[in-house]
Structures are given as C-alpha cells and as structure tokens.
Amino acid sequence: MTGPTATSRRVGALLVTSNGFVDAYTYLAHGGVFANAQTGNVILFGVGLAKPGEVDALTHLWPVIAFVVGIVVANLFRGEAATRQLRYPLRYVLGLQALVLVAVGLLPASAPEPSITTSIGFVAALQFSLFRSVRTATVVPVAMTGNLMRTTDAVLTALRGRRREDVALAVLYVSLVLGFGAGAVVGALVTGVVGTRAVWIPAAMIVVALVLFFIDEPRHPAPSDDALPSDDTA
C-alpha cells in the first residue's frame, strides 16, 4: 500500500459503497428520505411546498438542516489549535458514524423518522467534510453528481493521451461511482429482506475502514493521516 490510509483505495471503496447503501436504506425504510445526499431532499422539500398534500416538506427539511449543522461542527476541527487537540478527527468521525448506524438499527419501528434521518445526515456531513480524496482523485463520498463529472473528464483525458497515470485515475473514478451504485443496489435488496436492521451492514463496512488505520499505520506511519481537505470539492 502506498499513501496515507485516509486516502487509500480500500478506505475509499468502503466509505463510498456504504454511503450508497445508506441512502437506499433510508429511502426505502425511513420515509423516502435521502439521509446522506441532500440534493434529493432539497428537491422534495420544494415539491412538498408546492404540493403539500402529496409530499411532506418538513420530512425532507430536517436532514438538510442536520447536514448543515454537521458541516459547521466539522469546521471546528480546522486550524492548528484544533488539530493539536484532536490529531485524527476522521477516525473519531468514522467511529461516531458507525455507532449512530448501529443505534438506528436498534430503534423500534415506532421511532420518529426525523430522529433517524437527521442523525444519519449529521454524521454524513462530518464524513464529507473530512474525507474528500482517494489517492489522487478528489471525490464527494455522499453524492455522485460531481464524481460523475470528474469521471467523464478523466475518461476523456485518458482516451486522448493514453498516459498510464490518466488511465489509472479514470479507472479509479469509474470504480468509485460503480461502488456507490453497487452499494445502493445491495442496500435496496437487503433492506427489503432484513428491514431496518440492514443498516448494520454499512456500519460494519465503516468499522472495517476504521480498523484499516490501525492495521496499516504501524507499517506506514504518517504525521497525520487525517489532514483536513480543502474546500474546492463540489
């Protein structure tokens, strides 16, 4: 393995696939809401305002608010002072995210839907703020619109130049997009069979990603494997 664990292909594949799973899960098991990707919620919130009898606007607003709050909280980790106090924020975030998903699977069917979707949306925002690259690829782990654009650009660049590094980047982007889609497919299938406890599968994937830090870092030490990403992703 080369490069920090936080940007390794294995961690990237696990997180992106788990995010696809979770969005399919919340959509099917918790009121047609996307707890990770907020574009769908913003659209459905607007539809709910226009047609309140058909769509509950507030159901889609709460996870958007939770996501924004998560971004605000994640920004508290930025800066040298915060980094000195919390050297590996991504590891803590992944641990919290796994715990939230496990707790969601334990909740009874009578639990209020907003409590579930807002909790997942909040920790998804923390992950998004702290995890934005896989090897040399800039990624958005919770949504695919920007990733599809980058994938298309990378494929076209690889086809024109046929340089090894361009081909490798294109393959990486394609694999991440396919991984997200595969996660959604598996999430839909498993949720249909298992129900609300299906969320324990993406929780387990996140735990595996977290364990990789402790397996790899003794062999590949780094000053900080959770260096905060820049804000130039979309």
Side-chain angles (χ1 to χ4, degrees):
M1 170 185 160
T2 59
T5 305
T7 59
S8 70
R9 292 181 180 180
R10 292 181 297 172
V11 169
L14 286 165
L15 296 186
V16 169
T17 303
S18 68
N19 287 332
F21 190 117
V22 169
D23 262 340
Y25 164 81
T26 57
Y27 183 83
L28 293 173
H30 295 292
V33 176
F34 298 103
N36 283 344
Q38 301 305 320
T39 302
N41 289 327
V42 173
I43 293 171
L44 291 170
F45 173 70
V47 172
L49 292 179
K51 298 185 176 183
E54 298 180 20
V55 177
D56 183 357
L58 287 179
T59 297
H60 299 279
L61 177 61
W62 298 127
V64 174
I65 294 175
F67 194 90
V68 171
V69 172
I71 297 295
V72 172
V73 171
N75 271 272
L76 298 177
F77 296 140
R78 299 183 184 278
E80 293 183 5
T83 303
R84 286 197 300 268
Q85 295 296 321
L86 194 64
R87 186 178 180 187
Y88 300 112
L90 180 57
R91 300 185 194 188
Y92 292 101
V93 164
L94 294 181
L96 175 62
Q97 190 173 25
L99 288 174
V100 167
L101 296 182
V102 169
V104 165
L106 291 171
L107 291 174
S110 58
E113 299 287 2
S115 67
I116 295 171
T117 55
T118 54
S119 298
I120 296 176
F122 174 77
V123 292
L126 295 178
Q127 185 200 114
F128 167 66
S129 294
L130 299 173
F131 174 76
R132 298 191 195 174
S133 61
V134 178
R135 299 295 291 272
T136 59
T138 299
V139 300
V140 177
V142 297
M144 287 296 110
T145 302
N147 294 335
L148 284 170
M149 177 193 71
R150 296 183 184 94
T151 299
T152 304
D153 287 342
V155 170
L156 291 175
T157 299
L159 291 174
R160 285 194 296 263
R162 299 185 182 278
R163 296 190 305 170
R164 179 177 298 179
E165 58 268 30
D166 292 336
V167 173
L169 182 62
V171 170
L172 177 57
Y173 271 123
V174 170
S175 66
L176 291 172
V177 172
L178 291 177
F180 187 90
V185 171
V186 175
L189 293 174
V190 176
T191 301
V193 175
V194 179
T196 56
R197 286 178 174 79
V199 75
W200 289 344
I201 292 179
M205 296 173 69
I206 292 171
V207 169
V208 172
L210 182 60
V211 169
L212 288 176
F213 284 91
F214 299 96
I215 293 175
D216 292 337
E217 288 311 313
R219 293 178 295 159
H220 304 278
S224 175
D225 57 11
D226 302 336
L228 295 179
S230 62
D231 294 318
D232 60 353
T233 56

